[in-house]
Amino acid sequence: MRRRAVSEIIGAVIVITVVVAGLGIYTSLSQQRILGDTLSVKETIQQQDDRVSEMLEYVGMFVTNTDKISVFVHNFGLKNVTMSKLFVNGTMDMGESPRSFHVQNITGSVIFPNNKTLQVGKTSEIVLDFGIPITEGISNIVIKTDSDKIIQFTNNTN
């Protein structure tokens, strides 16, 4: 009878040790996940602040060549707006070949090659280069910024 009591105590100690070790591992992994989520919440708040600071006003749209259109916008926000994508009429991605777009100041000089940044407090020209003659009208332009904000301009001059 004495032997049985000792083996039951040793078995109970082993079970308790395994449970405590498992809880320790679970707690450490949970803390890493919680801290990781905290960083992503911080990044989300920063991204939302960036979105609020991005404000553009549509000035006008003009055909400058048979395959190019100039869109004039004014950045009255609190930060420079960098465009990551630009869509015409909701579906035409201006980043796909042969189409492209860039930004230049209103005097017509390109600020930087492949520039896609609209500077704070300035009116800029977004040049849409279709690569082929334009056959259909432009009803709207949708800009996706680096902070994932979507800005749409409607062309009422068709």
Side-chain angles (χ1 to χ4, degrees):
M1 188 140 173
R2 243 186 135 127
R3 242 175 208 248
R4 186 177 274 183
V6 171
S7 66
E8 288 177 2
I9 291 172
I10 292 173
V13 169
I14 291 173
V15 168
I16 290 171
T17 304
V18 169
V19 168
V20 169
L23 287 174
I25 292 171
Y26 176 76
T27 303
S28 68
L29 293 176
S30 295
Q31 284 178 342
Q32 290 175 357
R33 192 176 70 185
I34 290 169
L35 292 176
D37 289 345
T38 303
L39 292 176
S40 75
V41 168
K42 180 181 176 184
E43 291 168 352
T44 301
I45 291 171
Q46 179 62 43
Q47 191 177 46
Q48 186 61 31
D49 288 344
D50 289 345
R51 287 180 189 160
V52 169
S53 300
E54 295 175 339
M55 295 181 280
L56 300 176
E57 180 181 9
Y58 172 72
V59 178
M61 183 182 306
F62 306 99
V63 176
T64 56
N65 202 334
T66 59
D67 62 344
K68 293 183 182 173
I69 291 181
S70 292
V71 180
F72 292 89
V73 296
H74 182 75
N75 183 354
F76 65 96
L78 303 174
K79 67 179 283 279
N80 291 340
V81 175
T82 303
M83 300 179 290
S84 60
K85 287 197 171 276
L86 192 140
F87 297 94
V88 174
N89 293 340
T91 58
M92 191 182 309
D93 186 355
M94 290 304 293
E96 293 179 357
S97 182
R99 300 179 290 269
S100 65
F101 68 98
H102 66 273
V103 176
Q104 57 191 34
N105 61 22
I106 56 175
T107 61
S109 59
V110 177
I111 300 165
F112 296 108
N114 298 322
N115 182 38
K116 294 181 169 107
T117 302
L118 304 166
Q119 296 179 341
V120 174
K122 296 189 177 181
T123 301
S124 301
E125 177 183 4
I126 304 170
V127 178
L128 308 175
D129 186 355
F130 289 88
I132 56 173
I134 304 164
T135 58
E136 62 182 64
I138 303 230
S139 59
N140 65 55
I141 294 172
V142 176
I143 296 171
K144 181 180 179 189
T145 67
D146 279 352
S147 66
D148 291 333
K149 181 175 183 174
I150 304 294
I151 303 169
Q152 178 176 352
F153 299 122
T154 304
N155 182 18
N156 296 324
T157 59
N158 278 352

